[in-house]
Amino acid sequence: MKLLPLAAVAALFALPSMSTGAPLGLDGCLRAQSVYQCSGTVRSWDGVPLDTTVVLPSAKSRNRPLVTLIHGFGNSKYEYLDPTASAYTGNAFSWAKKGYVVLTYTARGLWGSCGTPESRLADPSGCARGYIHLADARYEVRDAQTLIGRLVDEGLVDRARIGVTGDSYGGGQSLMLAALRDRVMLPGGRLVRWRSPGGTPLRIAAAAPVIPWSDLVTAAAPNGRVTANGITSLKRATSPVGVLKSTFVNGISLAARFAIGPGQPVGEPFVFGRPIGFLAAPDDDPDADITSLINRTGRGEPYTDPEALSIVSDIARFHSAYYIDPGSKPPPLMLASGFTDDLFPVDEVLRYANRTRKLYPRSPLSLYLGDFGHQRASNDPVERAGLVRRIGSWFDHYLRKAGKSPANGVTAYVQTCPKERPSIGPFRAATFAGLSRRIIKSTFPPPRTVLSAGGDPATGKALDPLAGGGDGCIVTAPQEAPGTARYRVRNGGSPITILGAPKLSARIEVTGLKPAEAQIDARLWDVTPDGQSQRLIARGVYRPANGLNSWELHPAAWRVQAGHGVELELLGNDAPSYRRSNDSFQATISSLRVELPTR
C-alpha cells in the first residue's frame, strides 16, 4: 500500500463535515475525494467493536447498491482507503464515485478492532472476547452480515443489490458469504434465514472472491487428492490429512500478533513488529483457540488423535466455504486465483466452481486466472488492472443493471519470466478443462527410490515463499540430488504451453513409516537446452498409499520455449515450504505415468 505524507492526508480530508445522515451511528464524517467518508467503531452482533468506514456517493445517498470490501489477513480496512492504490478489488473512493455505498471494516481481533493494545484499552468490555476467530463463518462472516443489515435498515442500501468482494482472508470470507447467500451461521453451527436487525430478509446479489480458499484444510495441508476438473469429497480431501505448508502457517501465526505488513492508517509509517492482533488464551474459548490449533498441527503426523481430528472437523465445518450446505443457489460469482500462488492455489476456486456448475448449471459463473496472489506470484500489473475492471463490470451488471452481461467461463493468462515480460494470453474456454487441447503422455516403468532425507536444501530454500523471496521466476541448477528421482518428460522440440493440472500415476511402496504419514513431493521443471538452469513450472505434495496411486500437481500455466526440456522431480520432502515427515521413510516408485495438459 502506497503511503501519503501526513500533511497530504490532512489536506485531503480538511473539507466540510457532514451534519446529518451518518451511517451506522458513525460520528467521524468528512468529505473526501469528492465523496463522503464516515469512520469510527460499530458494535457487531455480539458487542465486539469493529473499526469501520462507510464511503458514500453523497451525504444524501439512499437505497444504493452496496460493495463490501473485506481485507487480507494482518491488514485492515485501510487496504481500501488509500485513494492512490487499487488493491486487488479497487479502493473505496473509486467505487463510491460510481454510485455505490462502500462498506469496509477491520476484522475482529486485528488492528483497530480490538487488535492493538490501545483499541482494547479504549473498550475493555467490548473487546473482552474480540479476539481473532480465523475467518469463522459464525463470527467474522456474521460481522459482515450484521453491518450490511444495519445499512439496509437505515435505508442507505438496497436489500436486492448487495455485493461482496475481498482478497485472501477477505476472499475466503466473501466466498463464505456467497455460499451462505441468504443464511446466517449461528455459534452452534445451525443455519438460519439472514435478516437485518430490523427483520428484513437479505441475500447476497453478487460476489467476487479474489485469491480465496474454499477448503482451509487442503489450503493449509494439501494431501494431493483434490482434482482440478472434478468434484472432491470431504473424505478424499482430508483423509489422510495432508502436509503442512510450514512457512505460510508460521507466517500467519506471526501476523496474528504482530505487523509484518501494512495495515496502519493511510499516511502513518509502517512499523514492523507492532502489536496488531488479539489471540484468545489457549483453552479459553474453543471457537477461537488459534494457539492450540497451530501448536498441534505443527507437531505433525500422525493426525489421527482426537485433538487433530477435532481441528480438521472444525476448520472444514466453520472456516471453509466448500462445506457450507450448498442447498442455497450461490449469487452470480466471479472467482479470481493465481497459478503461482502457493498459499491458495488455483484448485481452491476450481473445486468450488466445478460443484457449482453441476448443481446450478445456469448460475452465472466466471473465473479469472493468472500470475497474481500470494508468493510466488509476480502480480503482473496488466492482469491486476484487468482484474479490477472485471470486478467492476461484474458488479455494475448484477448490482446496477449497467453494461452488457459479463461472459461466463474461464479466462487464463500464462506466466512469463523474467516477470517484466508481458504475460501470454488471455486464453478463454467454457471450463478449465477446455483450456487444454492435448495431453502429452510419458511412461517410466523402471522402479526408482526416493528418501525422506533426499533433495538439495538449496533448491528447497530457493522455492520457499519466505527464504526464497517468493520469486516465481527464480533459477536453480538442475541436478538429480541424492534420494530423489528425476524423469525427462520432454527432450526439446517446438514450443508448448502447459495449461492445467499435471497428472501422475504410479505404483508406490513405502517402508519405514505408514504410507499416510509419508509424502511424495513433486516439482515440474523447465530446463534450458544447455542443461545449466531450470525454472519451476508446477509443484505438488501427495500422501501415498501402497499400491497403485493417481494424483495431480497444482494447476500451472507456463510456456516451454523451443528446445527446452521438461523434467519431473520426485522427492520425499519439499522443506522448508512443506513440513518434513516426523520419521524417516523410503518410497519405491514404479510404472510412473506423467500426463501434461497443453494448449
Side-chain angles (χ1 to χ4, degrees):
M1 178 170 68
K2 184 178 179 181
L3 303 180
L4 296 177
L6 287 172
V9 175
L12 181 68
F13 296 112
L15 293 169
S17 297
M18 291 175 59
S19 58
T20 61
L24 303 178
L26 299 169
D27 55 11
C29 294
L30 297 167
R31 183 166 178 145
Q33 295 287 304
S34 74
V35 293
Y36 285 89
Q37 172 182 320
C38 299
S39 299
T41 57
V42 181
R43 291 193 181 276
S44 190
W45 58 275
D46 59 351
V48 171
L50 302 176
D51 187 17
T52 303
T53 291
V54 178
V55 183
L56 309 163
S58 74
K60 298 180 180 180
S61 296
R62 305 291 293 176
N63 205 39
R64 297 277 189 159
L66 173 73
V67 169
T68 306
L69 301 172
I70 309 176
H71 64 79
F73 193 73
N75 210 323
S76 73
K77 68 178 186 178
Y78 292 104
E79 180 177 345
Y80 305 110
L81 295 175
D82 181 352
T84 68
S86 62
Y88 284 92
T89 57
N91 65 56
F93 304 106
S94 62
W95 283 106
K97 289 175 183 178
K98 293 176 67 175
Y100 292 89
V101 169
V102 183
L103 167 65
T104 186
Y105 61 96
T106 299
R108 62 170 62 209
L110 291 170
W111 291 92
S113 296
C114 304
T116 61
E118 53 268 31
S119 66
R120 293 195 293 277
L121 281 173
D123 191 348
S125 60
C127 285
R129 298 179 71 83
Y131 30 68
I132 297 168
H133 283 74
L134 203 61
D136 193 316
R138 302 167 296 173
Y139 294 90
E140 281 93 341
V141 176
R142 191 175 174 187
D143 289 338
Q145 293 172 316
T146 300
L147 297 177
I148 291 168
R150 287 187 59 181
L151 290 171
V152 170
D153 284 346
E154 293 173 1
L156 292 171
V157 168
D158 181 350
R159 61 178 290 269
R161 297 190 291 169
I162 297 169
V164 293
T165 185
D167 62 274
S168 188
Y169 195 59
Q173 290 180 67
S174 57
L175 186 55
M176 282 188 270
L177 283 162
L180 289 165
R181 194 176 193 187
D182 58 359
R183 300 166 294 175
V184 171
M185 186 179 288
L186 300 181
R190 185 165 65 95
L191 297 177
V192 298
R193 186 75 170 86
W194 178 20
R195 296 182 184 276
S196 72
T200 301
L202 301 176
R203 70 174 188 167
I204 303 298
V210 176
I211 52 174
W213 72 90
S214 62
D215 178 347
L216 196 54
V217 180
T218 59
N223 65 9
R225 285 164 165 75
V226 172
T227 176
N229 295 313
I231 298 172
T232 310
S233 67
L234 170 64
K235 182 177 180 179
R236 182 168 174 80
T238 63
S239 181
V241 176
V243 183
L244 191 71
K245 295 178 180 176
S246 297
T247 297
F248 278 121
V249 171
N250 291 335
I252 290 168
S253 175
L254 182 63
R257 295 169 291 166
F258 306 104
I260 62 174
Q264 71 283 353
V266 178
E268 288 187 6
F270 170 64
V271 179
F272 185 88
R274 172 185 175 183
I276 55 87
F278 180 24
L279 291 179
D283 303 319
D284 183 53
D285 184 343
D287 288 343
D289 190 358
I290 310 302
T291 301
S292 295
L293 182 156
I294 291 174
N295 288 342
R296 174 60 195 93
T297 56
R299 292 199 300 270
E301 311 87 359
Y303 294 114
T304 53
D305 57 280
E307 182 184 7
L309 294 176
S310 177
I311 288 172
V312 170
S313 176
D314 285 351
I315 291 177
R317 186 180 179 193
F318 303 127
H319 304 258
S320 303
Y322 193 82
Y323 301 117
I324 292 173
D325 178 7
S328 189
K329 178 183 176 180
L333 192 59
M334 182 195 152
L335 299 166
S337 189
F339 290 107
T340 43
D341 187 331
D342 282 334
L343 178 57
F344 301 142
V346 162
D347 33 12
E348 285 296 318
V349 298
L350 292 175
R351 185 177 174 196
Y352 196 89
N354 295 340
R355 189 183 64 184
T356 299
R357 284 199 183 95
K358 180 178 180 180
L359 296 178
Y360 305 103
R362 296 185 179 180
S363 183
L365 179 63
S366 176
L367 287 89
Y368 184 85
L369 313 174
D371 183 10
F372 55 87
H374 305 91
Q375 297 93 332
R376 295 169 284 117
S378 298
N379 280 293
D380 181 274
V382 173
E383 295 175 28
R384 288 278 296 267
L387 172 59
V388 173
R389 287 195 302 271
R390 277 178 164 262
I391 295 172
S393 297
W394 194 259
F395 282 168
D396 284 349
H397 180 76
Y398 290 109
L399 301 182
R400 295 175 56 210
K401 306 303 179 187
K404 64 180 182 179
S405 178
N408 292 325
V410 184
T411 298
Y413 289 86
V414 172
Q415 178 193 6
T416 55
C417 288
K419 63 183 68 176
E420 293 77 19
R421 289 181 56 193
S423 55
I424 302 170
F427 299 107
R428 297 183 175 88
T431 64
F432 184 70
L435 288 172
S436 60
R437 305 277 178 81
R438 162 174 177 253
I439 303 295
I440 296 177
K441 300 178 181 179
S442 305
T443 56
F444 304 91
R448 302 287 302 275
T449 299
V450 300
L451 304 177
S452 55
D456 177 11
T459 301
K461 181 179 179 181
L463 299 181
D464 184 68
L466 179 62
D471 185 356
C473 289
I474 198 164
V475 173
T476 62
Q479 58 181 339
E480 184 158 342
T484 69
R486 285 184 75 105
Y487 305 86
R488 188 78 169 183
V489 178
R490 179 180 186 265
N491 289 314
S494 58
I496 60 170
T497 299
I498 295 173
L499 192 48
K503 185 175 181 179
L504 310 180
S505 62
R507 289 197 169 276
I508 301 176
E509 296 296 328
V510 177
T511 57
L513 193 62
K514 292 180 179 179
E517 298 171 22
Q519 57 184 285
I520 304 297
D521 299 88
R523 303 165 180 161
L524 191 69
W525 297 102
D526 178 326
V527 182
T528 54
D530 62 7
Q532 297 302 302
S533 64
Q534 62 184 4
R535 281 194 170 109
L536 187 67
I537 301 173
R539 72 195 306 182
V541 61
Y542 177 62
R543 293 287 196 198
N546 282 336
L548 185 62
N549 291 255
S550 179
W551 72 103
E552 295 178 2
L553 310 190
H554 295 301
W558 179 264
R559 174 69 58 86
V560 181
Q561 301 298 330
H564 283 226
V566 176
E567 294 187 10
L568 174 70
E569 179 185 25
L570 299 181
L571 59 166
N573 79 84
D574 193 359
S577 296
Y578 294 88
R579 189 186 186 282
R580 293 175 181 266
S581 295
N582 277 338
D583 296 307
S584 299
F585 67 88
Q586 69 175 33
T588 301
I589 300 168
S590 59
S591 301
L592 175 68
R593 180 183 178 92
V594 182
E595 298 182 9
L596 301 182
T598 63
R599 178 88 180 169

